[in-house]
Amino acid sequence: MQKLTNKEEEIMQILWKLEKAFVKEIMAEIKEDQPHYNTLSTIVRILEEKGFVAHNAFGNSHQYYPIVAMEDYRKRFMTTAINNYFDSSYKNLVSFFAKEEKISADELREILDMIENKK
């Protein structure tokens, strides 16, 4: 599975949310830096070429839908990020967020409870 560009990921987030959409419906969801319609259409077709979306044809219009689940992409993305930026260590990942004060002690205890209760 290929890594997507930031814009491609933004479009996929919209498609995962909407589940299926025409290009104009995707366009309506983009709040900032809205691309030209033709540019967006090209990005969606690239996502189709990469195997992330498929479409149903309605005359000259195409309704696109994701064929890669968000969870599958998230797992792949997180594994790659942890390998590349945290030396393949989940401990380093959690330590990073703790040092950056992005996770509280209560949240860490909650995570520990989840781990312990799963056993």
Side-chain angles (χ1 to χ4, degrees):
M1 182 182 313
Q2 297 178 8
K3 170 80 172 94
L4 300 177
T5 66
N6 290 341
K7 190 53 93 173
E8 289 169 345
E9 282 186 2
E10 180 184 357
I11 302 312
M12 284 305 300
Q13 290 289 338
I14 292 168
L15 282 171
W16 284 320
K17 175 184 158 192
L18 298 177
E19 298 180 1
K20 56 186 175 180
F22 294 96
V23 173
K24 65 180 180 178
E25 294 169 324
I26 297 169
M27 180 79 80
E29 293 289 319
I30 299 173
K31 304 301 179 212
E32 295 179 15
D33 298 327
Q34 199 173 63
H36 187 274
Y37 181 92
N38 291 340
T39 302
L40 179 58
S41 181
T42 299
I43 294 169
V44 174
R45 284 195 311 273
I46 290 169
L47 286 167
E48 188 169 27
E49 289 171 13
K50 289 182 174 183
F52 281 83
V53 302
H55 74 270
N56 292 317
F58 295 93
N60 291 335
S61 296
H62 294 94
Q63 185 180 47
Y64 295 92
Y65 57 92
I67 56 175
V68 172
M70 181 170 56
E71 185 62 26
D72 292 338
Y73 186 74
R74 178 182 13 215
K75 283 179 186 176
R76 173 73 178 215
F77 172 77
M78 289 304 298
T79 299
T80 301
I82 291 165
N83 291 343
N84 291 342
Y85 297 104
F86 299 100
D87 299 322
S88 302
S89 168
Y90 288 88
K91 177 184 167 193
N92 289 347
L93 171 74
V94 174
S95 295
F96 169 80
F97 287 114
K99 287 176 189 171
E100 295 291 317
E101 298 180 3
K102 303 290 184 191
I103 191 168
S104 69
D106 287 339
E107 289 170 321
L108 286 172
R109 280 190 276 283
E110 197 176 313
I111 292 169
L112 285 172
D113 287 341
M114 287 169 47
I115 292 168
E116 290 170 353
N117 290 328
K118 194 168 188 170
K119 292 182 179 178

